[in-house]
Amino acid sequence: MTIIDTRCMRLRVTEYRKASGMSQLDLALASGLGQSAVSRIENMTRGVRLDHLEAVAKVFGVPVKELIIEDDDEDDDFVAFYKVFSRLPHATRMNLQSLASQMLPDA
């Protein structure tokens, strides 16, 4: 599982959700996430899991990068990384996420 450090960015998830007329529960059901996961994403109380952000982006029909508001140059690095990462075959992404989760402390 890949955790995104959200200290240098903000997300547009709340904006997209409200514009779609959805509640957090609606978004949770549509994305297959729990309402608490949606709340954590919107409030950024912890790091955000990449697979959760991908699920939310899929509901809105936008790429993940559309949900990210860049606050500084570090976000450019994340967006560049995500562009490369998202083009990798699914099995490769899962292997990399597994490897990263072994190397990083639990969030």
mmCIF file of all heavy atoms in Angstrom, residues 2 4 10 18 21 23 27-28 30 39 54 57 61 63 68 80-81 86 89-90 99-101:
data_model
loop_
_atom_site.group_PDB
_atom_site.id
_atom_site.type_symbol
_atom_site.label_atom_id
_atom_site.label_comp_id
_atom_site.label_asym_id
_atom_site.label_seq_id
_atom_site.Cartn_x
_atom_site.Cartn_y
_atom_site.Cartn_z
ATOM 1 N N THR A 2 0.641 2.127 -0.905
ATOM 2 C CA THR A 2 1.415 3.355 -1.009
ATOM 3 C C THR A 2 0.689 4.476 -0.280
ATOM 4 O O THR A 2 -0.491 4.702 -0.514
ATOM 5 C CB THR A 2 1.618 3.749 -2.487
ATOM 6 O OG1 THR A 2 2.295 2.684 -3.145
ATOM 7 C CG2 THR A 2 2.430 5.019 -2.608
ATOM 8 N N ILE A 4 0.558 8.504 0.509
ATOM 9 C CA ILE A 4 0.988 9.783 -0.033
ATOM 10 C C ILE A 4 1.128 10.766 1.120
ATOM 11 O O ILE A 4 0.200 10.957 1.896
ATOM 12 C CB ILE A 4 -0.040 10.312 -1.052
ATOM 13 C CG1 ILE A 4 -0.209 9.310 -2.197
ATOM 14 C CG2 ILE A 4 0.370 11.683 -1.580
ATOM 15 C CD1 ILE A 4 -1.389 9.608 -3.077
ATOM 16 N N ARG A 10 -2.802 20.006 -1.013
ATOM 17 C CA ARG A 10 -4.201 19.947 -0.623
ATOM 18 C C ARG A 10 -4.924 19.177 -1.714
ATOM 19 O O ARG A 10 -4.439 19.079 -2.835
ATOM 20 C CB ARG A 10 -4.784 21.350 -0.500
ATOM 21 C CG ARG A 10 -4.189 22.140 0.658
ATOM 22 C CD ARG A 10 -4.724 23.561 0.738
ATOM 23 N NE ARG A 10 -4.281 24.330 -0.424
ATOM 24 C CZ ARG A 10 -5.102 25.007 -1.239
ATOM 25 N NH1 ARG A 10 -6.395 25.007 -1.047
ATOM 26 N NH2 ARG A 10 -4.628 25.685 -2.256
ATOM 27 N N LYS A 18 -18.896 17.874 -3.468
ATOM 28 C CA LYS A 18 -20.003 18.826 -3.314
ATOM 29 C C LYS A 18 -20.576 19.235 -4.669
ATOM 30 O O LYS A 18 -21.792 19.370 -4.821
ATOM 31 C CB LYS A 18 -19.557 20.040 -2.508
ATOM 32 C CG LYS A 18 -19.358 19.707 -1.039
ATOM 33 C CD LYS A 18 -18.950 20.916 -0.228
ATOM 34 C CE LYS A 18 -18.830 20.552 1.245
ATOM 35 N NZ LYS A 18 -18.462 21.712 2.066
ATOM 36 N N GLY A 21 -22.992 16.880 -5.821
ATOM 37 C CA GLY A 21 -24.165 16.722 -4.976
ATOM 38 C C GLY A 21 -24.121 15.465 -4.118
ATOM 39 O O GLY A 21 -25.159 14.929 -3.730
ATOM 40 N N SER A 23 -22.889 13.211 -0.716
ATOM 41 C CA SER A 23 -22.455 13.249 0.684
ATOM 42 C C SER A 23 -21.185 12.404 0.787
ATOM 43 O O SER A 23 -20.824 11.692 -0.160
ATOM 44 C CB SER A 23 -23.534 12.670 1.595
ATOM 45 O OG SER A 23 -23.672 11.270 1.349
ATOM 46 N N LEU A 27 -20.144 9.152 -1.634
ATOM 47 C CA LEU A 27 -18.829 8.950 -2.244
ATOM 48 C C LEU A 27 -18.204 7.651 -1.757
ATOM 49 O O LEU A 27 -17.598 6.910 -2.537
ATOM 50 C CB LEU A 27 -17.909 10.137 -1.953
ATOM 51 C CG LEU A 27 -16.495 10.047 -2.514
ATOM 52 C CD1 LEU A 27 -16.498 9.796 -4.018
ATOM 53 C CD2 LEU A 27 -15.714 11.313 -2.178
ATOM 54 N N ALA A 28 -18.368 7.371 -0.478
ATOM 55 C CA ALA A 28 -17.830 6.125 0.068
ATOM 56 C C ALA A 28 -18.448 4.918 -0.642
ATOM 57 O O ALA A 28 -17.736 3.998 -1.062
ATOM 58 C CB ALA A 28 -18.086 6.056 1.574
ATOM 59 N N ALA A 30 -19.926 4.806 -3.607
ATOM 60 C CA ALA A 30 -19.575 4.791 -5.031
ATOM 61 C C ALA A 30 -18.131 4.355 -5.271
ATOM 62 O O ALA A 30 -17.819 3.758 -6.297
ATOM 63 C CB ALA A 30 -19.805 6.178 -5.638
ATOM 64 N N SER A 39 -13.609 10.684 4.834
ATOM 65 C CA SER A 39 -13.408 11.788 5.763
ATOM 66 C C SER A 39 -11.923 12.065 5.978
ATOM 67 O O SER A 39 -11.485 13.218 5.976
ATOM 68 C CB SER A 39 -14.090 11.480 7.098
ATOM 69 O OG SER A 39 -13.831 12.502 8.027
ATOM 70 N N GLU A 54 -7.111 6.915 -6.034
ATOM 71 C CA GLU A 54 -7.461 6.412 -7.363
ATOM 72 C C GLU A 54 -8.942 6.039 -7.431
ATOM 73 O O GLU A 54 -9.610 6.314 -8.431
ATOM 74 C CB GLU A 54 -6.601 5.204 -7.729
ATOM 75 C CG GLU A 54 -5.161 5.562 -8.029
ATOM 76 C CD GLU A 54 -4.267 4.354 -8.233
ATOM 77 O OE1 GLU A 54 -4.528 3.281 -7.641
ATOM 78 O OE2 GLU A 54 -3.287 4.483 -8.986
ATOM 79 N N ALA A 57 -10.947 9.269 -7.614
ATOM 80 C CA ALA A 57 -10.787 9.884 -8.933
ATOM 81 C C ALA A 57 -11.637 9.153 -9.977
ATOM 82 O O ALA A 57 -12.243 9.782 -10.847
ATOM 83 C CB ALA A 57 -9.313 9.870 -9.345
ATOM 84 N N GLY A 61 -14.420 10.485 -12.554
ATOM 85 C CA GLY A 61 -14.004 10.405 -13.950
ATOM 86 C C GLY A 61 -12.861 11.331 -14.299
ATOM 87 O O GLY A 61 -12.783 11.850 -15.414
ATOM 88 N N PRO A 63 -8.401 12.096 -13.705
ATOM 89 C CA PRO A 63 -7.141 11.515 -13.242
ATOM 90 C C PRO A 63 -6.818 12.019 -11.838
ATOM 91 O O PRO A 63 -7.282 13.097 -11.435
ATOM 92 C CB PRO A 63 -6.112 12.005 -14.262
ATOM 93 C CG PRO A 63 -6.730 13.179 -14.934
ATOM 94 C CD PRO A 63 -8.219 13.027 -14.816
ATOM 95 N N ILE A 68 -5.408 17.064 -7.032
ATOM 96 C CA ILE A 68 -4.293 17.619 -6.262
ATOM 97 C C ILE A 68 -4.138 19.103 -6.549
ATOM 98 O O ILE A 68 -4.098 19.517 -7.700
ATOM 99 C CB ILE A 68 -2.983 16.892 -6.610
ATOM 100 C CG1 ILE A 68 -3.109 15.406 -6.272
ATOM 101 C CG2 ILE A 68 -1.805 17.529 -5.881
ATOM 102 C CD1 ILE A 68 -1.986 14.572 -6.817
ATOM 103 N N ALA A 80 4.801 14.131 -11.280
ATOM 104 C CA ALA A 80 5.682 13.452 -12.240
ATOM 105 C C ALA A 80 5.807 11.973 -11.883
ATOM 106 O O ALA A 80 5.724 11.102 -12.764
ATOM 107 C CB ALA A 80 7.051 14.120 -12.259
ATOM 108 N N PHE A 81 6.004 11.683 -10.602
ATOM 109 C CA PHE A 81 6.091 10.285 -10.161
ATOM 110 C C PHE A 81 4.794 9.549 -10.474
ATOM 111 O O PHE A 81 4.805 8.441 -11.004
ATOM 112 C CB PHE A 81 6.368 10.218 -8.650
ATOM 113 C CG PHE A 81 6.142 8.846 -8.090
ATOM 114 C CD1 PHE A 81 7.101 7.863 -8.239
ATOM 115 C CD2 PHE A 81 4.963 8.521 -7.443
ATOM 116 C CE1 PHE A 81 6.897 6.584 -7.746
ATOM 117 C CE2 PHE A 81 4.747 7.253 -6.947
ATOM 118 C CZ PHE A 81 5.712 6.278 -7.096
ATOM 119 N N SER A 86 1.535 5.431 -12.789
ATOM 120 C CA SER A 86 0.221 5.018 -13.282
ATOM 121 C C SER A 86 0.297 4.323 -14.637
ATOM 122 O O SER A 86 -0.626 3.615 -15.017
ATOM 123 C CB SER A 86 -0.732 6.208 -13.358
ATOM 124 O OG SER A 86 -0.270 7.145 -14.302
ATOM 125 N N PRO A 89 2.436 -1.527 -15.593
ATOM 126 C CA PRO A 89 1.436 -2.603 -15.542
ATOM 127 C C PRO A 89 0.944 -2.807 -14.109
ATOM 128 O O PRO A 89 1.684 -2.570 -13.142
ATOM 129 C CB PRO A 89 2.210 -3.833 -16.024
ATOM 130 C CG PRO A 89 3.399 -3.292 -16.757
ATOM 131 C CD PRO A 89 3.710 -1.967 -16.132
ATOM 132 N N HIS A 90 -0.300 -3.233 -13.986
ATOM 133 C CA HIS A 90 -0.934 -3.404 -12.671
ATOM 134 C C HIS A 90 -0.074 -4.266 -11.737
ATOM 135 O O HIS A 90 0.126 -3.904 -10.578
ATOM 136 C CB HIS A 90 -2.327 -4.016 -12.836
ATOM 137 C CG HIS A 90 -3.034 -4.247 -11.545
ATOM 138 N ND1 HIS A 90 -3.562 -3.211 -10.806
ATOM 139 C CD2 HIS A 90 -3.273 -5.381 -10.841
ATOM 140 C CE1 HIS A 90 -4.107 -3.698 -9.709
ATOM 141 N NE2 HIS A 90 -3.949 -5.012 -9.714
ATOM 142 N N LEU A 99 6.363 -3.544 -1.801
ATOM 143 C CA LEU A 99 7.725 -3.250 -1.390
ATOM 144 C C LEU A 99 7.783 -1.990 -0.552
ATOM 145 O O LEU A 99 8.435 -1.940 0.500
ATOM 146 C CB LEU A 99 8.613 -3.081 -2.629
ATOM 147 C CG LEU A 99 10.028 -3.554 -2.455
ATOM 148 C CD1 LEU A 99 10.344 -4.494 -3.590
ATOM 149 C CD2 LEU A 99 10.970 -2.410 -2.473
ATOM 150 N N ALA A 100 7.085 -0.942 -0.995
ATOM 151 C CA ALA A 100 7.081 0.329 -0.268
ATOM 152 C C ALA A 100 6.463 0.169 1.110
ATOM 153 O O ALA A 100 6.946 0.729 2.093
ATOM 154 C CB ALA A 100 6.315 1.394 -1.066
ATOM 155 N N SER A 101 5.406 -0.643 1.208
ATOM 156 C CA SER A 101 4.758 -0.809 2.509
ATOM 157 C C SER A 101 5.663 -1.545 3.493
ATOM 158 O O SER A 101 5.572 -1.353 4.696
ATOM 159 C CB SER A 101 3.408 -1.524 2.367
ATOM 160 O OG SER A 101 3.615 -2.877 1.986
#
